[in-house]
Amino acid sequence: MKRQYTNKELIFSALNNERINAVPKFFMGTAFLAQQAGVSSKHFEEDQELYVQTNIEFSKKYGTTMYDAGFYADVKEQISDMKIESVIQSIDEIDKLECYSIAKSKALDNIAKKIYMYKKNDSSTPIYVGVRNTPMLVAELLGVASFYKKLVRDKRLIEETSKALEPILFEGLTKIAEAGCDIVWIPMPTISGTCISKKSYVESCHVYSTRFIEKIHQLGMKAIIHTCGKWNDRFDVVMQERPDAIHLSETNMSEFASKYGEQVCMMGNISVLNTLLYGEPEDVYRESYQSCMEAGRYGNYIVAPDCGVPANVKEKNIEEMFRASEVAARALYS
Ligand SMILES: [Zn+2]
């Protein structure tokens, strides 16, 4: 008889790269869920009770296996006016980071409240928090355009800002772990292959991304890297960072799976824009089924959209993505 797992056992087994022979479901879509709840995204994120309730209802309806407790990314917000594009432009300005106070972080407070509410309702479903890692936050503080220039012309500024940010971010991760988070989800759109060269990534980001994941592991949590954008030329580098899962986008699933499927839990790759937003239900079904069959043969694939789901995606498309994964799981494992 097939063993019955709790969501936590199922996801942790998958993240430990065991053959789970199931296709767990993951969903991320604050904008979509806010629309369902009939409020703006901003209101939704701040109204912890509504947020948690809506996520729990969605999870019950579709059988998704992880709860979303929000995003920790308020360093820039706290130390400056968000309208300023570039908060740090030179080594002297790194001092501005000294104004950041973890105790005053509204984002951390909000996350802790959400985690508490989820756990009160159900302690057997793992909880994840999105966090901008060190290079992503450096890019935000330098301003994205300036960050790209400095990657070529002023690597020292990037290096020094990264070093100064690490203790702040590690303290944030510690608070997140203490609040009861199980998994940290790390999106990397600004530093993907769509935006910077592999050389720049290796020289200025890789060490800090690696240390960020090491810290997550030391704190007893799991790390999911979201390679938001193209990453095909640098999967070898990201694999050295030892993520517990890779949440893929814009990737040839079959190629990725045959190369890395034995080594790491795979997630995602169902196109949010081309398929979920602009496709018909049968397109969604086809893509989702195919992804599940290609990655699922390794027994460690989590079906998921390739990024956050926008508000105006048709609910029928979400249904079809998950229905296809159930059909594929039966074909693969029963
Ligand atoms: Zn993304």
Side-chain angles (χ1 to χ4, degrees), residues 7 10-16 20 22-27 64-66 183 224 244-248 253 264-270 288 291-292 295-296 299-306 321-322 325 333:
N7 285 339
L10 184 70
I11 294 303
F12 271 67
S13 300
L15 297 178
N16 286 332
I20 54 168
V23 181
K25 299 167 186 164
F26 175 88
F27 181 82
T64 51
T65 47
M66 286 181 247
I183 300 158
I224 300 177
D244 301 292
I246 295 203
H247 181 186
L248 298 158
M253 199 54 169
V264 72
C265 173
M266 296 167 280
M267 231 170 100
N269 215 40
I270 316 297
S288 177
S291 238
C292 293
N300 56 354
Y301 173 64
I302 300 172
V303 71
D306 74 349
M321 174 178 68
F322 290 138
S325 74
Y333 311 122

Side-chain angles (χ1 to χ4, degrees), residues 22 35 42 46 51 68 103 114 135 217 239 313 321 329:
Q35 164 112 335
K42 190 174 182 304
E46 283 165 8
Y51 188 100
D68 173 356
K114 285 173 182 161
H217 288 157
M239 286 297 293
V313 162
M321 174 178 68

Side-chain angles (χ1 to χ4, degrees), residues 28 185 187-189 226-229 247 249 306-308:
M28 168 176 286
W185 179 83
M188 310 216 280
H226 171 41
T227 59
C228 196
H247 181 186
S249 74
D306 74 349
C307 205

Side-chain angles (χ1 to χ4, degrees), residues 42-261:
K42 190 174 182 304
H43 174 121
F44 189 60
E45 273 171 61
E46 283 165 8
D47 186 338
Q48 291 112 8
E49 216 165 311
L50 181 67
Y51 188 100
V52 166
Q53 212 41 51
T54 310
N55 271 283
I56 290 174
E57 275 163 29
F58 183 88
S59 165
K60 275 194 191 136
K61 187 168 176 188
Y62 292 105
T64 51
T65 47
M66 286 181 247
Y67 289 144
D68 173 356
F71 208 79
Y72 169 57
D74 67 351
V75 176
K76 184 177 178 187
E77 195 183 308
Q78 211 192 89
I79 64 170
S80 79
D81 177 345
M82 281 302 276
K83 285 182 198 118
I84 301 170
E85 170 67 16
S86 178
V87 180
I88 294 170
Q89 301 182 46
S90 65
I91 301 262
D92 304 339
E93 289 187 316
I94 295 175
D95 288 356
K96 287 184 185 172
L97 289 171
E98 284 165 20
C99 309
Y100 184 75
S101 153
I102 212 104
K104 286 190 199 144
S105 167
K106 284 190 198 131
L108 285 172
D109 189 46
N110 189 314
I111 287 165
K113 283 186 181 140
K114 285 173 182 161
I115 294 176
Y116 176 79
M117 283 186 231
Y118 279 129
K119 284 195 185 271
K120 220 167 79 179
N121 173 74
D122 157 26
S123 57
S124 62
T125 295
I127 296 168
Y128 72 91
V129 170
V131 183
R132 218 166 259 148
N133 72 0
T134 317
M136 283 292 295
L137 191 51
V138 171
E140 190 188 29
L141 291 170
L142 263 60
V144 175
S146 168
F147 174 74
Y148 293 148
K149 268 185 219 149
K150 307 281 184 197
L151 274 177
V152 181
R153 292 186 206 145
D154 190 359
K155 277 182 257 183
R156 188 164 159 244
L157 178 63
I158 295 194
E159 175 98 34
E160 296 301 322
T161 314
S162 303
K163 280 190 202 152
L165 269 176
E166 258 186 349
I168 295 177
L169 275 171
F170 287 3
E171 208 184 339
L173 286 175
T174 307
K175 294 278 174 212
I176 288 168
E178 283 168 3
C181 170
D182 301 293
I183 300 158
V184 177
W185 179 83
I186 310 159
M188 310 216 280
T190 318
I191 52 177
S192 80
T194 316
C195 305
I196 71 173
S197 71
K198 182 174 181 178
K199 182 169 176 277
S200 288
Y201 185 83
V202 170
E203 283 174 355
S204 299
C205 307
H206 175 58
V207 170
Y208 296 98
S209 299
T210 306
R211 285 220 284 262
F212 193 75
I213 291 180
E214 271 169 19
K215 184 69 190 178
I216 292 169
H217 288 157
Q218 275 169 21
L219 291 164
M221 298 184 287
K222 297 285 182 190
I224 300 177
I225 283 189
H226 171 41
T227 59
C228 196
K230 290 197 195 307
W231 218 270
N232 300 342
D233 65 343
R234 62 198 67 178
F235 280 125
D236 56 335
V237 180
V238 91
M239 286 297 293
Q240 290 165 21
E241 294 171 8
R242 304 176 64 83
D244 301 292
I246 295 203
H247 181 186
L248 298 158
S249 74
E250 298 176 49
T251 304
N252 180 319
M253 199 54 169
S254 159
E255 263 175 38
F256 183 87
S258 52
K259 210 160 173 189
Y260 300 109

